[in-house]
């Protein structure tokens, strides 16, 4: 829903002015939207979520960032193995869904608007999210399996500063050398083809049912994620303009 308010000059002033600049002005205002970003690993969720956060001045909430920001949260009343998320993270154990749900709920409750990226990962978490907030827009980035594999296996990461490159789409000025710090560019162990395909299989099993469940949401929009980032962003922006209140 777009709210438009007309500001009209008094007749006495309008009569003294005769040019196009004196036409009634339109002031457009949009409340901060609540957006869910879905899609498989490598679809571009992080890039486009950052665009949304900048464009609409909303919080970019990811489970990883939310966990790190709340790693000392007291969860001793949740009957879990550890009393804080930090203890799970330091032990290398998966943080239980109940803890992740509580942390995401806390992050959403403190945000006027948001783009949520990386949650929910399964139908149970989707049920929890429904109780936490009302979503304005649900965006699903659609990218073919072969394209996802090509994107992930071609990724190179600076061993020193962590900057991402790609052997086809985002090459450094000097092959194998980071433009920013001069560090070596390496392929992460989990970016080999076998690991990438395994991660996509896990996504299909656990998270694709979440996307299927949102297809009947009034604000659901499927986005072709195989085009250029600018073209994808144009579609995303149009979807938000159409569905956000």
């Amino acid at each position: 829903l777009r709210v438009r308010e007309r500001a009209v000059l008094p007749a006495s002033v309008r009569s003294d002015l005769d040019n196009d600049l004196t036409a009634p002005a339109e002031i457009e205002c949009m409340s901060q939207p609540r957006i869910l970003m879905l899609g498989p690993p490598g679809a571009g969720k992080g890039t486009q979520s950052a665009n949304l956060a900048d464009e609409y001045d909303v919080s970019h909430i990811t489970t990883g960032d939310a966990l790190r920001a709340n790693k000392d949260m007291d969860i001793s009343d949740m009957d879990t193995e550890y009393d804080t998320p930090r203890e799970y993270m330091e032990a290398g154990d998966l943080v239980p869904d109940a803890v992740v749900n509580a942390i995401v709920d806390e992050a959403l409750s403190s945000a006027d608007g948001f783009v949520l990226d990386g949650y929910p990962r399964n139908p149970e978490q989707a049920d929890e999210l429904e109780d936490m907030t009302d979503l304005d827009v649900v965006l699903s980035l659609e990218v073919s399996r072969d394209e996802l594999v090509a994107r992930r296996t071609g990724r190179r990461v600076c061993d020193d500063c962590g900057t991402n490159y790609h052997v086809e789409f985002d090459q450094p000025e000097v092959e194998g050398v980071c433009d920013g710090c001069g560090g070596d560019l390496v392929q992460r162990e989990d970016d080999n083809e076998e690991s990438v395909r395994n991660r996509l299989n896990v996504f299909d099993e656990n998270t694709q049912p979440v996307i299927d469940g949102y297809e009947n949401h009034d604000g659901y929009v499927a986005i072709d994620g195989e085009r250029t980032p600018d073209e994808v962003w144009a579609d995303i922006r149009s979807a938000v303009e159409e569905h956000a209140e």
Side-chain angles (χ1 to χ4, degrees):
L1 173 64
R2 304 217 50 161
V3 180
R4 290 183 172 86
E5 184 178 337
R6 289 188 178 272
V8 182
L9 293 172
S12 59
V13 175
R14 294 200 311 273
S15 64
D16 294 334
L17 301 172
D18 187 21
N19 60 65
D20 291 340
L21 297 179
T22 62
E26 268 193 353
I27 302 172
E28 294 188 1
C29 300
M30 176 187 289
S31 61
Q32 292 177 301
R34 296 158 296 187
I35 304 165
L36 175 61
M37 178 71 76
L38 299 169
K45 297 188 301 297
T47 297
Q48 299 299 347
S49 292
N51 288 340
L52 286 165
D54 289 341
E55 177 74 12
Y56 297 104
D57 192 25
V58 296
S59 300
H60 180 191
I61 299 174
T62 71
T63 49
D65 289 344
L67 280 168
R68 285 186 287 273
N70 294 276
K71 58 188 176 185
D72 292 317
M73 178 181 181
D74 183 4
I75 56 173
S76 57
D77 62 335
M78 301 181 78
D79 193 27
T80 53
E81 182 177 358
Y82 299 114
D83 292 335
T84 65
R86 177 194 293 272
E87 294 171 88
Y88 282 98
M89 297 164 72
E90 291 180 348
D93 294 342
L94 288 175
V95 180
D97 270 6
V99 177
V100 175
N101 295 340
I103 288 175
V104 171
D105 192 13
E106 176 67 22
L108 295 180
S109 66
S110 61
D112 292 329
F114 58 82
V115 51
L116 180 58
D117 166 17
Y119 179 99
R121 294 181 182 270
N122 56 56
E124 292 75 23
Q125 289 183 345
D127 289 340
E128 291 290 331
L129 180 60
E130 187 173 355
D131 292 334
M132 296 179 198
T133 188
D134 293 322
L135 297 168
D136 297 312
V137 190
V138 179
L139 301 170
S140 175
L141 295 180
E142 298 185 341
V143 181
S144 69
R145 177 64 60 97
D146 287 344
E147 175 68 15
L148 292 169
V149 172
R151 289 182 182 183
R152 282 303 195 187
T153 56
R155 181 169 62 171
R156 299 295 183 266
V157 181
C158 177
D159 206 24
D160 292 336
C161 70
T163 300
N164 286 315
Y165 295 87
H166 195 278
V167 295
E168 293 183 33
F169 314 127
D170 188 12
Q171 301 174 358
E173 293 182 5
V174 178
E175 184 177 354
V177 180
C178 177
D179 293 342
C181 72
D184 293 333
L185 302 185
V186 299
Q187 184 182 42
R188 288 177 15 176
E189 290 185 7
D190 60 349
D191 279 345
N192 64 76
E193 183 169 347
E194 181 180 1
S195 295
V196 170
R197 290 192 181 277
N198 285 339
R199 288 208 304 277
L200 292 174
N201 288 338
V202 170
F203 174 86
D204 286 344
E205 181 178 352
N206 294 332
T207 310
Q208 185 59 47
V210 173
I211 297 176
D212 296 341
Y214 277 114
E215 287 184 352
N216 292 325
H217 188 283
D218 289 341
Y220 176 85
V221 182
I223 303 291
D224 180 357
E226 294 201 24
R227 296 177 302 156
T228 67
D230 286 345
E231 290 171 330
V232 173
W233 168 238
D235 279 357
I236 286 174
R237 186 174 180 181
S238 294
V240 173
E241 298 284 330
E242 179 180 353
H243 292 284
E245 296 182 353

